[in-house]
Amino acid sequence: MNDPCIFADAFNFFMYDGRQVILPEQLHSLDAAEIAIPYMADGKGYPIQKFRDNLKYLAAMQDEHTAYLLLGTENQSEIHYAIPVKTMVYDSLQYASQVDAVGRRFRRHLKAGEGHGYKISPGEFLSGFRREDKLLPVITLVIYFGPEKWDAPIGLHDMIEITDPKLLLFIPDYRINLISPYSIPDAKLDQLHTSLREVLLFIKYSKDKNRLRKIVTADPHFLSVDRKAGQVIKILTGSDFEIREEEEKIDMCKALEDLKEEGRQEGWQEGRQDGIRKLILKILAKNQFSYEEIADMTEMSVEEIMEIDRSAAGQQ
């Protein structure tokens, strides 16, 4: 997700229905550590630090004006049942950090004499934030890389028991921005322009092998999937297909066929071993041959024959 093309694609998909409003070259990576120093009753500052997955600065022209935004992602391989609070903390720390930076910058200007002639009010002095100062908006996008339906809260109100609508009016609801493959129609995923589409589509049907095979074989995009996307698919879905060192693009159709053939081979091998075991049990039941003779006939070790005999005796 740190790749600017993938990052921009995710936000364009979620915010603009796939229109290419945010361009990769407009994004600049920032330190993903969110640090703020809230002041307690004793006046002392206590640093708090949290680490986002990704944070980027955007400067883009919108409606004839330049929009400055901070965009962050939280990548979830598992459902997080407190994600509204988690993202709220990240965003709050980012805003607190901006307020602190503005205050420190203004105080430096005052000390250097650059603020000469500006009359600061007691409220501005106390907050370290002037009347005309502004914050950069922060938008956090949660991306769930799992096939299950997202059944966790999507807002702070979902995490509290109060249902009285009058009371809820006084409790700000912090709702998350969520991408979850399960709830996105396949046609909607076509609004993605990078390999993020193939990743989310594969994940969506990873638990339904028949449906997955039909979708992958019918979609030409899966004939040439980026290596990184293939690695993400392999890790997140537990698919044991091979990715060769020299491959920059992966044919997911072939990967699925290789897995299918491997499954057939494993099934044949398991069936063969089960057949040999049944044969050995029949020979042992006749009490006509020694362990050594049976081992020679079946090309198995004496220890394996003895283990089969012991396990059969234990089941009787």
Side-chain angles (χ1 to χ4, degrees), residues 13 17 184-192 197 201 204-205:
F13 169 79
D17 295 324
I184 302 175
D186 294 356
K188 175 74 174 176
L189 286 173
D190 288 339
Q191 294 176 353
L192 288 163
R197 171 188 176 273
L201 193 57
K204 179 178 180 178
Y205 293 107

Side-chain angles (χ1 to χ4, degrees), residues 88-314:
M88 181 174 64
V89 168
Y90 284 147
D91 293 351
S92 298
L93 285 176
Q94 173 54 229
Y95 285 126
S97 179
Q98 289 186 45
V99 170
D100 184 60
V102 169
R104 284 187 282 109
R105 186 167 58 248
F106 183 59
R107 284 190 290 273
R108 283 199 304 269
H109 289 169
L110 287 178
K111 286 183 180 179
E114 296 175 17
H116 182 70
Y118 180 85
K119 187 176 180 181
I120 186 170
S121 71
E124 290 174 316
F125 180 80
L126 182 65
S127 62
F129 205 77
R130 296 176 302 171
R131 190 178 296 107
E132 65 268 25
D133 287 330
K134 303 296 179 184
L135 295 174
L136 290 180
V138 183
I139 300 174
T140 299
L141 179 58
V142 178
I143 306 176
Y144 173 48
F145 290 95
E148 294 83 9
K149 181 179 180 180
W150 182 272
D151 61 354
I154 59 172
L156 192 62
H157 283 186
D158 298 332
M159 298 180 66
I160 57 181
E161 291 187 352
I162 296 173
T163 56
D164 184 342
K166 194 166 186 64
L167 279 177
L168 288 174
L169 288 174
F170 299 97
I171 303 172
D173 190 12
Y174 198 90
R175 300 184 69 79
I176 65 170
N177 303 307
L178 175 69
I179 291 178
S180 175
Y182 179 94
S183 57
I184 302 175
D186 294 356
K188 175 74 174 176
L189 286 173
D190 288 339
Q191 294 176 353
L192 288 163
H193 295 267
T194 66
S195 58
L196 183 59
R197 171 188 176 273
E198 286 75 65
V199 169
L200 295 180
L201 193 57
F202 196 103
I203 288 173
K204 179 178 180 178
Y205 293 107
S206 59
K207 294 294 181 70
D208 187 343
K209 301 303 181 186
N210 291 329
R211 184 75 185 276
L212 177 64
R213 187 169 285 106
K214 289 179 181 178
I215 285 178
V216 170
T217 54
D219 190 334
H221 290 93
F222 281 104
L223 293 173
S224 183
V225 174
D226 292 342
R227 179 185 179 83
K228 284 184 179 179
Q231 290 172 328
V232 171
I233 288 172
K234 179 176 180 177
I235 292 170
L236 291 179
T237 63
S239 302
D240 194 23
F241 55 83
E242 183 182 4
I243 300 179
R244 299 179 182 85
E245 286 292 331
E246 67 277 7
E247 287 183 321
E248 289 300 322
K249 299 287 185 178
I250 300 169
D251 184 345
M252 294 304 301
C253 299
K254 185 177 183 302
L256 283 182
E257 284 305 313
D258 290 345
L259 284 177
K260 186 177 178 182
E261 179 59 29
E262 185 179 312
R264 281 198 294 263
Q265 292 292 338
E266 288 178 357
W268 178 84
Q269 186 66 22
E270 289 174 4
R272 179 176 179 275
Q273 291 174 350
D274 188 51
I276 292 174
R277 186 177 184 279
K278 289 178 180 178
L279 175 62
I280 291 171
L281 290 173
K282 287 182 180 180
I283 297 173
L284 287 169
K286 293 181 178 180
N287 291 319
Q288 294 178 355
F289 301 96
S290 66
Y291 288 144
E292 289 78 9
E293 290 171 324
I294 297 173
D296 187 55
M297 285 187 287
T298 60
E299 297 182 351
M300 296 181 73
S301 68
V302 173
E303 289 75 16
E304 288 174 318
I305 303 299
M306 293 174 66
E307 178 59 31
I308 290 174
D309 194 15
R310 282 195 296 269
S311 64

Side-chain angles (χ1 to χ4, degrees), residues 3 12 14 25 30 33-34 40 44 66 72 82 93 106 121 128 156 167 206 227 233 315:
D3 184 315
N12 283 327
F14 188 80
E25 57 268 25
L30 297 174
E34 300 289 14
M40 307 303 175
K44 294 181 179 179
T66 302
L93 285 176
F106 183 59
S121 71
L156 192 62
L167 279 177
S206 59
R227 179 185 179 83
I233 288 172
Q315 293 173 1

